[in-house]
Amino acid sequence: MSQVEFSIPGEPCAKGRPRFIRATGQVMTPEKTANYEQLVKLSYLQQVERDKPLTGPLVAKIYANFAIPKSVSKKRQQRMMSRQEYPQKRPDADNLAKIVLDALNGIAYADDKEIVCLEVRKYWAEVPRVDVVLREI
């Protein structure tokens, strides 16, 4: 059983909706989405020392850590850091998973259809990032 772990620096980002251009029939990926997918790929390649993708049924755990707003009181900051308070804000957990899993297609695994168990959690943190754990079953 093999497992990989890596972190994506910066504020978590969601997968944007594709835009359709009627005149040409083309589908455009939003620039923010394309840039974040590149960051996911780069983070994986820099942090994971693996020469072949994971195979078989996979478990994926995605932990999105959002920056604590500067306007929050010290007392509330402590509640956030001790995980007594969670970020109930955008982006949605499913869109967080979508951008990370789609970006790893063909790199960490052949296709995200191999993921049979998915856990996505949202937390507050001093340093914004997304932590990813992928494990073969």
Side-chain angles (χ1 to χ4, degrees):
M1 191 165 34
S2 189
Q3 176 173 305
V4 297
E5 298 180 32
F6 70 102
S7 291
I8 306 154
E11 197 69 19
C13 180
K15 180 109 179 179
R17 295 191 183 276
R19 305 290 177 221
F20 297 95
I21 302 171
R22 290 181 197 225
T24 62
Q26 287 183 307
V27 178
M28 298 291 293
T29 301
E31 186 176 350
K32 185 176 178 183
T33 297
N35 290 342
Y36 195 78
E37 285 180 340
Q38 282 302 116
L39 178 61
V40 172
K41 291 175 187 177
L42 185 62
S43 298
Y44 178 85
L45 294 171
Q46 287 178 340
Q47 297 172 43
V48 176
E49 295 181 17
R50 238 186 120 72
D51 53 352
K52 62 180 183 157
L54 298 166
T55 57
L58 304 173
V59 173
K61 295 181 180 184
I62 299 170
Y63 304 109
N65 297 279
F66 293 88
I68 295 173
K70 296 196 184 328
S71 60
V72 172
S73 70
K74 294 267 189 213
K75 187 175 182 180
R76 189 159 172 223
Q77 278 182 19
Q78 289 175 342
R79 289 181 46 77
M80 292 171 153
M81 289 303 295
S82 63
R83 297 192 174 157
Q84 295 173 4
E85 193 173 318
Y86 296 90
Q88 297 177 33
K89 64 178 210 144
R90 291 195 179 275
D92 299 346
D94 57 331
N95 289 327
L96 289 167
K98 184 97 176 114
I99 197 166
V100 172
L101 300 179
D102 284 354
L104 294 172
N105 274 336
I107 297 172
Y109 38 76
D111 191 83
D112 56 357
K113 70 180 181 187
E114 296 174 22
I115 295 167
V116 298
C117 182
L118 174 63
E119 178 181 337
V120 181
R121 294 184 182 214
K122 293 164 53 171
Y123 297 115
W124 293 110
E126 288 181 15
V127 178
R129 69 190 182 287
V130 176
D131 297 321
V132 181
V133 178
L134 301 170
R135 181 173 48 87
E136 293 176 342
I137 297 178

